[in-house]
Amino acid sequence: MNAPSEAFLQTHPFAALTLANACAAPLEALAPHQQLIRRELQQGGSLQAGNGVDHRALQHGLATLLDSPADPLCDLLRPCAKALVEGVQALPLHPVVCLLLGSAQAGMPASYQHALRAMALAGALAWHARAPAALLPRAMLVGLVHDIGEMYVNPEYLRAGRQLDLVEYRQLAAHPHVGAMLLTQLTDYPAEIARAVCEHHERLDGTGYPFQLLGTAISPLGQLMAVAELALGIVDARPHAAERASFALKFVPGELSGLWAGPITHWADQQPRTDEAVLQAPMLAELGPLDEALPHLQALAERLSDQLDGAAQRVAQRVVHRLHRLRIAWNAMGLWSLPAAAIEPQERFDIALATRELRYRISTVGRDCLWPEADLRVQADARLVPLWLALSKASQPAR
């Protein structure tokens, strides 16, 4: 194991939980697809490209995606179909990657389909943004392997359908770095590929994971993949995909790269506008309380940050930063102060999205600020309880 990997595990010991599935867990404790991976990796010398997914399978998957008119991504992918097909043909498929993808295809088909869609969307973003031609196949490769670290996360955490608790989330939050470690140690891919995989959940404003990187500390490929991953999570799960994805990418100014988000925003502008334009009176009534809650929450976190020390102070400081970013997002909309009669139909839809997004983000502030701490005892620090109670109250819809 190289020095950066050892340093990561020392600073984030919970990441070892994910690596245990690949290296130390009893074979019978693993899911069937994980058992296959263990056996094949332990027989490293026998790995061949034919052991898993190959170019033909990827070409078939891409063709199916491009020929699915009901898929919301089709309008975004089809203009660059030729470039995407050529990009797949140019992908360097390492035997280990072929194995891992083949295992996902057999044991986690939803994850395999997500990898295919991420591969196509990453390439499409590079094409639409008119990036240098050489970047497109590299972006497609990053998209294809970006979640490879999830192969060693408890599958129940990936399909929980609920907010994960802190212990569960800590294991999930390690998957970008676990994936990067696997690619670094088991393949001969350029370092930029593993780096981008490690960065695909980072945010330009430092609110991402696993390292809370800021600005240009995130590579261009990492910034591209962060946009693609967020967009896919929205497109795959909800109606009005284009509008919702475009809104989420712009909700917090400076959170994601405008260069890579631009093609999705343009795509959304070309789609028919939603007819869900009615902002219900109860939701409208939430705007005032939310607007009042944000500065109160930030002031409480700042006060605690000044009073605390050690791990509790670091947690409070993270809360201050996240709440500051959410206030910027909320104030940038400028719609909460308008009387109901003055709000246009599309503005009503945006307010509905913003209200739900803000409450969700407030509900995850505690988890997102606690998980980087190696010692979970800070979660029970009584001095932070007033902050957790205030955040919980603010995340609940008005009744």
Side-chain angles (χ1 to χ4, degrees):
M1 185 176 297
N2 58 29
S5 297
E6 291 179 349
F8 176 81
L9 292 178
Q10 290 172 3
T11 309
H12 302 79
F14 53 87
L17 294 174
T18 55
L19 287 177
N21 284 332
C23 306
L27 191 63
E28 61 273 13
L30 304 182
H33 73 278
Q34 293 172 328
Q35 294 182 24
L36 173 63
I37 293 170
R38 168 74 68 77
R39 293 192 186 100
E40 294 283 357
L41 290 180
Q42 287 177 339
Q43 299 168 7
S46 69
L47 288 175
Q48 302 293 330
N51 289 67
V53 167
D54 57 14
H55 285 95
R56 181 178 299 180
L58 295 179
Q59 289 164 353
H60 175 74
L62 177 61
T64 301
L65 181 57
L66 293 171
D67 196 33
S68 304
D71 193 301
L73 287 179
C74 264
D75 290 340
L76 189 62
L77 301 181
R78 281 179 175 167
C80 49
K82 182 175 182 291
L84 294 179
V85 169
E86 293 173 351
V88 168
Q89 294 170 347
L91 287 179
L93 294 181
H94 190 281
V96 167
V97 168
C98 293
L99 165 69
L100 293 174
L101 290 173
S103 176
Q105 186 181 33
M108 304 170 64
S111 295
Y112 176 69
Q113 288 301 316
H114 176 71
L116 286 177
R117 291 166 67 76
M119 174 190 73
L121 181 55
L125 293 182
W127 187 88
H128 282 286
R130 299 182 180 180
L135 184 71
L136 188 143
R138 301 205 302 273
M140 295 182 72
L141 179 59
V142 172
L144 184 64
V145 302
H146 75 284
D147 272 343
I148 216 161
E150 284 188 355
M151 298 296 292
Y152 306 114
V153 173
N154 186 333
E156 293 301 319
Y157 299 168
L158 302 177
R159 53 176 180 259
R162 58 174 172 78
Q163 283 196 29
L164 300 178
D165 66 30
L166 186 56
V167 173
E168 296 167 340
Y169 186 75
R170 294 178 89 176
Q171 186 180 150
L172 180 64
H175 84 265
H177 192 77
V178 171
M181 291 167 66
L182 289 171
L183 292 174
T184 298
Q185 296 172 24
L186 300 178
T187 77
D188 56 359
Y189 286 155
E192 65 172 347
I193 303 300
R195 177 181 175 184
V197 166
C198 192
E199 296 169 341
H200 77 271
H201 280 292
E202 297 287 358
R203 297 293 182 262
L204 295 173
D205 61 0
T207 58
Y209 65 84
F211 292 119
Q212 299 89 51
L213 300 178
L214 277 166
T216 56
I218 308 171
S219 69
L221 276 176
Q223 294 180 32
L224 183 155
M225 199 58 233
V227 169
E229 176 77 338
L230 178 60
L232 280 176
I234 296 168
V235 167
D236 289 349
R238 300 176 179 89
H240 312 300
E243 288 173 283
R244 291 179 183 275
S246 176
F247 180 86
L249 291 171
K250 298 184 295 185
F251 178 61
V252 180
E255 184 179 58
L256 293 155
S257 166
L259 171 65
W260 306 122
I264 294 177
T265 301
H266 179 72
W267 165 59
D269 289 342
Q270 308 306 309
Q271 305 304 306
R273 307 305 292 180
T274 181
D275 57 2
E276 288 188 10
V278 177
L279 181 64
Q280 300 175 350
M283 186 168 290
L284 185 61
E286 291 184 35
L287 301 183
L290 270 175
D291 186 55
E292 294 175 1
L294 281 173
H296 168 73
L297 290 170
Q298 186 175 346
L300 174 58
E302 289 173 344
R303 186 163 62 252
L304 288 174
S305 177
D306 291 338
Q307 296 170 354
L308 300 175
D309 56 15
Q313 183 181 58
R314 290 194 299 271
V315 170
Q317 289 171 341
R318 294 188 193 106
V319 173
V320 169
H321 178 60
R322 286 181 177 272
L323 291 174
H324 173 67
R325 298 295 300 157
L326 291 180
R327 284 190 70 187
I328 290 175
W330 187 249
N331 292 337
M333 290 197 63
L335 300 176
W336 52 264
S337 62
L338 295 176
I343 300 176
E344 297 294 330
Q346 185 58 37
E347 292 174 336
R348 295 186 178 199
F349 185 65
D350 288 348
I351 289 177
L353 292 180
T355 302
R356 295 188 186 102
E357 181 71 13
L358 184 60
R359 288 202 183 282
Y360 170 74
R361 294 208 185 200
I362 290 174
S363 75
T364 62
V365 163
R367 179 199 70 187
D368 292 344
C369 295
L370 281 165
W371 79 263
E373 294 298 325
D375 189 346
L376 274 180
R377 287 178 296 182
V378 68
Q379 183 181 14
D381 193 315
R383 298 170 297 175
L384 291 170
V385 169
L387 183 55
W388 306 145
L389 292 176
L391 286 166
S392 177
K393 181 179 178 181
S395 69
Q396 301 302 313
R399 299 191 180 189

